[in-house]
Amino acid sequence: MNRPVPLGDPDPSPRHALADVMGKVAQGDQTAFSTLYDALAPMVFGIVLRILRDRAQSEEVTQEVMIDLWRQAARYQPAAGSVTAWASTIAHRRAVDRVRSAQAATDREHAQAAREHTTAFDEVAEQVETRLESEQVRRCLRGLTELQRQSVTLAYYGGLTYREVAETLHTPLPTIKARMRDGLIRLRDCMGVTT
């Protein structure tokens, strides 16, 4: 059975006693750490359990906090507060970090699932809609003048530049630009596209 090691003062205050124990832990005293563990682990576990609400995770985080206290014992400054307050702060921060980490992982999983989710579509409806749009474009193209239709067709379906369209149709470049602009306006109006 572990019993606290007497620390010199016959009747030290608990705050002073833990500060002395922490000083010994900072020097690598394993017996002092055992005393510190017995004194603080139940309190640390209680703080962590209130935040995490999961016993297994709380036990894990409590162990992490106690290891932090062992590793960071030399950083403890008695003037800044009691060992209990310091351990409580570390426990609270570790527990909150665990909650945030779990939430971030859940958020990442939801985001990934949303990215991977593809909406099923009706292939027949898609084909019908594409066919109807194609018919409407052909009907609207028939409403253009011959030069407008040829210019638009060469540019958009043939991939030619204004200059190449002008050379192909043996028409001045400014005329081609004007006819294409007018043709596109008429197509837009015919298709019912609003800007």
Side-chain angles (χ1 to χ4, degrees):
M1 175 154 102
N2 281 340
R3 290 193 175 167
V5 178
L7 302 172
D9 254 347
D11 186 28
S13 70
R15 176 184 171 129
H16 181 70
L18 282 179
D20 288 344
V21 170
M22 186 58 80
K24 291 181 180 185
V25 170
Q27 296 170 357
D29 186 332
Q30 293 179 359
T31 305
F33 180 70
S34 178
T35 302
L36 184 73
Y37 190 97
D38 291 342
L40 296 179
M43 175 203 67
V44 167
F45 179 75
I47 291 169
V48 172
L49 183 60
R50 270 194 310 264
I51 295 169
L52 296 180
R53 296 187 178 126
D54 178 87
R55 189 166 192 82
Q57 281 195 33
S58 297
E59 289 172 357
E60 187 177 314
V61 171
T62 298
Q63 292 301 315
E64 291 171 6
V65 170
M66 297 311 296
I67 290 170
D68 277 352
L69 292 176
W70 169 260
R71 290 179 180 158
Q72 297 179 30
R75 297 173 80 190
Y76 170 69
Q77 298 176 2
S82 69
V83 172
T84 305
W86 189 55
S88 298
T89 301
I90 293 172
H92 185 267
R93 286 182 182 156
R94 274 287 186 148
V96 169
D97 286 349
R98 178 65 65 97
V99 168
R100 287 179 179 154
S101 176
Q103 184 61 49
T106 301
D107 291 347
R108 281 191 303 275
E109 288 171 8
H110 287 299
Q112 182 64 29
R115 283 192 298 272
E116 290 175 355
H117 177 70
T118 56
T119 306
F121 67 93
D122 184 355
E123 193 172 320
V124 173
E126 183 80 18
Q127 288 174 355
V128 168
E129 186 176 335
T130 302
R131 188 170 290 141
L132 288 173
E133 287 174 355
S134 296
E135 281 298 318
Q136 186 178 9
V137 169
R138 281 194 285 278
R139 182 179 49 79
C140 290
L141 277 171
R142 284 192 298 267
L144 301 179
T145 67
E146 185 62 27
L147 186 57
Q148 288 173 336
R149 184 173 45 256
Q150 288 176 337
S151 300
V152 169
T153 303
L154 287 171
Y156 286 92
Y157 294 113
L160 301 180
T161 64
Y162 285 123
R163 184 171 309 285
E164 291 170 336
V165 170
E167 290 171 2
T168 302
L169 297 177
H170 307 290
T171 307
L173 181 60
T175 304
I176 291 298
K177 287 182 177 181
R179 295 306 176 261
M180 284 184 66
R181 184 191 69 235
D182 294 343
L184 290 174
I185 290 170
R186 288 177 69 180
L187 279 175
R188 181 193 67 201
D189 293 343
C190 179
M191 298 285 295
V193 177
T194 57
T195 55

